[in-house]
Amino acid sequence: MRAFISYSHNDKAALDRLHVHLKNLTREGRIETWYDRNILAGGELDAEIERELEASDLFLLLVSPDFIASDYCVERENETRA
């Protein structure tokens, strides 16, 4: 299962904790996670995010006040997925 993680960059600590919680599933090959830090330098941000959203089986949101305040998270990633 491929999971797209949407989060505010201000919530890096929560993202790190989520990866800890998912570690056993990733180790077993049951889930593969993707988030925007997987984009290589020089990559097209919007195009790669859209491609990964389409390829994902699971859409995980790390909702926080910073996430809700982020125009990119709410308008771009969530509306694209809807």
Side-chain angles (χ1 to χ4, degrees), residues 23-70:
K23 183 62 178 176
N24 197 44
L25 293 172
T26 57
R27 183 182 302 120
E28 293 174 355
R30 299 178 74 192
I31 194 168
E32 179 183 351
T33 60
W34 190 93
Y35 60 108
D36 64 354
R37 301 283 168 128
N38 293 115
I39 299 173
L40 300 176
E44 286 191 39
L45 179 72
D46 290 336
E48 289 195 43
I49 286 175
E50 188 170 333
R51 185 181 70 245
E52 291 298 329
L53 280 167
E54 291 297 321
S56 67
D57 303 301
L58 180 64
F59 189 56
L60 298 175
L61 304 173
L62 289 180
V63 179
S64 70
D66 288 314
F67 179 90
I68 294 168
S70 168

Side-chain angles (χ1 to χ4, degrees), residues 3-8 11 14-15 18 22 34-35 53 56 58-64 67-68 72-82:
F4 182 99
I5 302 172
S6 181
Y7 71 104
S8 165
D11 296 324
L15 177 66
L18 176 61
L22 296 174
W34 190 93
Y35 60 108
L53 280 167
S56 67
L58 180 64
F59 189 56
L60 298 175
L61 304 173
L62 289 180
V63 179
S64 70
F67 179 90
I68 294 168
Y72 195 88
C73 289
V74 173
E75 294 172 7
R76 188 81 171 138
E77 293 179 357
N78 290 324
E79 287 183 13
T80 300
R81 186 64 180 162

